[in-house]
Amino acid sequence: MAGRFLIFLLPLLSLFIFSCTTKKPVTGGNTLVLVSHQQEIQLGEETARKILSRERLVTDPRYTRLVQSVFKRLIDALPPKYRNQYRWRVHILDRKEVNAFALPSGDIFVFKGLLDFINNDEGELATVLSHEIAHVILRHSAEKMTMATLAQIGEVLLLNKIPPANRGLAKEFYELGVNVAFLLPYSRKQEKEADAVGLLLLMRAGYNPQKAVSLWRKFTERFAQGEPPEWLSTHPSSERRLKYISRLVEFLEKHPRYVREFKLPAEVLEKL
């Protein structure tokens, strides 16, 4: 009975997935998103409220004035389509980690430890913030939710074909294989896209793109030795990232029209 149901379900599932294929913002590449834009924003807002309810924020004006100023300059540099699509906000968490992250609602979180690491350098801060803004514009959260959903569907279909006694082991192998071969590489690809689109924004706002190079040189010198193997990481290695961003900066300085148009076609990005 289950087999017959799957035979009926698969064509419908394929049709549904095809209908959810769309063009990615800025790069124009094809992407698959099963989550609506409004659902994505609502999820981000809910998560932001939870974080703000339990985390302590930095109120020291030495930090807040700089972060708010840089953030506003970057948001003002966005094309109206993206500037008005979200309720952009930035928050500084009083945490020691060198980190920052974005939520699909347009909420950007920067850790105090990162600001100390870059010694409140305006250009390097702009590099970090523009990267996180790019994640939001590119709808990377929606893509990740979609990929996770597809992985879960694949797991159900696979385990349905395996005897119950062997399903525990099969589940472990499947999850490991999907993570290493599918989800982690996809996450690294998203980081590369956010680096590129972030640089477009950085340059549109009038910042020196060499600040992105100096930031990743600092990251490489400080963290490269302790990083896990790239194939087990959600992010490219710092050394690879430094080389890639250096090439990208050189390319964009020679082709400023991509910055003006705020477009970087996927086929161009793949060659860099």
Side-chain angles (χ1 to χ4, degrees), residues 1-210:
M1 179 66 71
R4 293 178 182 177
F5 175 73
L6 289 177
I7 291 174
F8 175 73
L9 176 63
L10 285 175
L12 293 179
L13 182 61
S14 300
L15 182 62
F16 173 70
I17 290 174
F18 178 78
S19 69
C20 294
T21 302
T22 184
K23 290 292 184 182
K24 185 185 288 286
V26 187
T27 68
N30 291 324
T31 187
L32 178 63
V33 175
L34 304 179
V35 182
S36 74
H37 189 243
Q38 191 56 40
Q39 288 174 324
E40 186 184 17
I41 289 177
Q42 289 175 351
L43 181 61
E45 290 176 342
E46 291 172 8
T47 305
R49 282 194 293 270
K50 291 178 181 178
I51 293 172
L52 293 172
S53 70
R54 68 171 185 259
E55 292 285 348
R56 186 169 64 182
L57 298 180
V58 172
T59 57
D60 188 333
R62 292 176 299 172
Y63 294 94
T64 58
R65 287 174 184 169
L66 175 64
V67 171
Q68 291 291 346
S69 174
V70 173
F71 189 68
K72 183 179 184 303
R73 180 171 166 180
L74 291 169
I75 297 303
D76 288 345
L78 283 170
K81 174 182 177 181
Y82 302 114
R83 186 168 63 244
N84 301 327
Q85 200 171 20
Y86 300 90
R87 189 168 65 167
W88 296 101
R89 291 163 294 196
V90 64
H91 317 274
I92 309 173
L93 299 182
D94 192 5
R95 297 178 67 99
K96 296 179 181 179
E97 296 91 337
V98 180
N99 199 10
F101 64 91
L103 296 177
S105 53
D107 288 279
I108 311 297
F109 291 84
V110 182
F111 289 32
K112 181 176 178 289
L114 185 143
L115 299 173
D116 291 334
F117 174 71
I118 63 175
N119 198 26
N120 278 355
D121 184 284
E122 183 174 350
E124 293 181 358
L125 172 60
T127 300
V128 173
L129 291 176
S130 61
H131 173 90
E132 299 303 334
I133 291 169
H135 274 307
V136 178
I137 291 172
L138 291 164
R139 300 195 63 196
H140 280 165
S141 291
E143 286 185 339
K144 284 184 177 180
M145 285 186 278
T146 298
M147 294 301 107
T149 299
L150 293 178
Q152 290 172 353
I153 292 173
E155 182 175 322
V156 170
L157 295 176
L158 172 66
L159 296 182
N160 180 71
K161 297 292 186 181
I162 294 177
N166 299 328
R167 285 179 184 171
L169 184 60
K171 177 181 172 69
E172 291 182 12
F173 275 110
Y174 175 84
E175 291 177 351
L176 177 62
V178 165
N179 201 37
V180 172
F182 182 53
L183 297 179
L184 289 178
Y186 197 86
S187 179
R188 292 194 292 271
K189 179 183 177 183
Q190 287 185 327
E191 291 301 321
K192 184 177 180 179
E193 289 177 340
D195 284 337
V197 174
L199 273 174
L200 293 179
L201 178 56
L202 186 76
M203 296 174 73
R204 275 178 68 94
Y207 287 103
N208 181 356
Q210 291 299 329

